[in-house]
């Protein structure tokens, strides 16, 4: 699918689900990495991440387009177009548009492995809750969030690649 076909699909979805025309540009943006699409407030254009079409198919793409069209039509009507607005949430329900897009399969594996493992473990002397942290905690200054008890260093892990 190219930008011209995407434009036609967005116009079709706009008329079918919103009963209003889409009068601006829709295009694929190869620079989008962390989102399925975005609505641009100043130009009223919609940009879509093509990887969602390639990895998850046309059904996911249509969901992203409907989501962005909710932003588009509400913004042009002067209603609440942000994720937190009641108008936006209501229109998502009416059009059966997703609130969030799915995680790309190519990113799912890297998300799990990119999280660093904890280097320090602290335990509360009162309730025994365990806290795992990347950085050292000043135990003279910080206490247990559950009961207010004293924290003590329980375990230290060696960082890979360091001596």
């Amino acid at each position: 699918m190219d930008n011209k076909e995407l434009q036609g699909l967005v116009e079709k979805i706009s008329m079918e689900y919103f009963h209003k025309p889409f009068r601006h540009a829709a295009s694929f943006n190869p620079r989008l990495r962390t989102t399925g699409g975005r609505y641009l407030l100043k130009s009223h254009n919609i940009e879509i991440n093509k990887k969602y079409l390639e990895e998850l198919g046309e059904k996911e793409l249509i969901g992203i387009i409907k989501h962005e069209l909710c932003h588009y039509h509400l913004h042009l009507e002067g209603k609440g177009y942000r994720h937190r607005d009641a108008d936006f949430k209501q229109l998502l329900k009416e059009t059966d548009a997703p609130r969030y897009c799915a995680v790309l399969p190519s990113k799912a594996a890297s998300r799990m492995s990119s999280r660093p493992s904890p280097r320090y473990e602290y335990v509360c002397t009162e309730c025994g809750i365990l806290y795992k942290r990347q950085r050292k905690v000043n135990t003279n200054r910080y206490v247990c969030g559950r009961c207010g008890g004293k924290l003590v260093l329980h375990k230290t892990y060696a960082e890979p690649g360091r001596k």
Side-chain angles (χ1 to χ4, degrees):
M1 180 180 285
D2 61 5
N3 285 336
K4 190 175 179 183
E5 292 170 317
L6 176 66
Q7 180 73 32
L9 181 61
V10 171
E11 290 171 2
K12 178 183 163 222
I13 291 170
S14 183
M15 288 306 292
E16 186 177 326
Y17 289 94
F18 300 88
H19 311 292
K20 297 170 191 168
F22 177 71
R23 300 184 193 276
H24 292 86
S27 61
F28 288 113
N29 183 345
R31 293 183 311 276
L32 293 180
R33 295 277 181 249
T34 60
T35 185
R38 67 179 175 182
Y39 164 63
L40 303 169
L41 294 172
K42 290 183 179 179
S43 66
H44 307 295
N45 294 339
I46 290 176
E47 295 179 341
I48 303 292
N49 185 342
K50 194 169 188 171
K51 286 191 180 221
Y52 278 85
L53 173 64
E54 294 164 356
E55 293 185 27
L56 295 172
E58 195 167 325
K59 185 178 178 186
E60 184 71 21
L61 177 73
I62 289 170
I64 293 168
I65 291 169
K66 287 196 290 188
H67 177 100
E68 299 309 325
L69 283 171
C70 287
H71 289 297
Y72 171 81
H73 288 298
L74 289 170
H75 181 247
L76 292 179
E77 292 169 10
K79 295 181 180 176
Y81 61 88
R82 295 186 192 111
H83 286 115
R84 65 176 180 241
D85 295 328
D87 292 331
F88 182 74
K89 291 176 184 176
Q90 181 62 36
L91 190 56
L92 284 177
K93 279 184 187 175
E94 290 172 11
T95 58
D96 195 33
R99 185 137 186 229
Y100 306 103
C101 56
V103 176
L104 286 170
S106 62
K107 295 286 184 188
S110 65
R111 283 179 74 176
M112 298 302 275
S113 63
S114 68
R115 187 168 196 172
S117 58
R119 291 171 47 198
Y120 303 98
E121 276 187 13
Y122 294 89
V123 66
C124 174
T125 56
E126 299 293 319
C127 66
I129 191 171
L130 195 66
Y131 292 95
K132 295 181 179 185
R133 296 289 179 264
Q134 281 296 307
R135 296 181 180 186
K136 275 191 173 181
V137 172
N138 182 349
T139 56
N140 294 324
R141 186 172 177 191
Y142 295 100
V143 295
C144 176
R146 181 189 283 174
C147 70
K150 181 162 177 52
L151 296 177
V152 292
L153 183 62
H154 177 64
K155 213 184 260 186
T156 305
Y157 297 101
E159 189 177 345
R162 286 210 171 173
K163 292 181 181 178

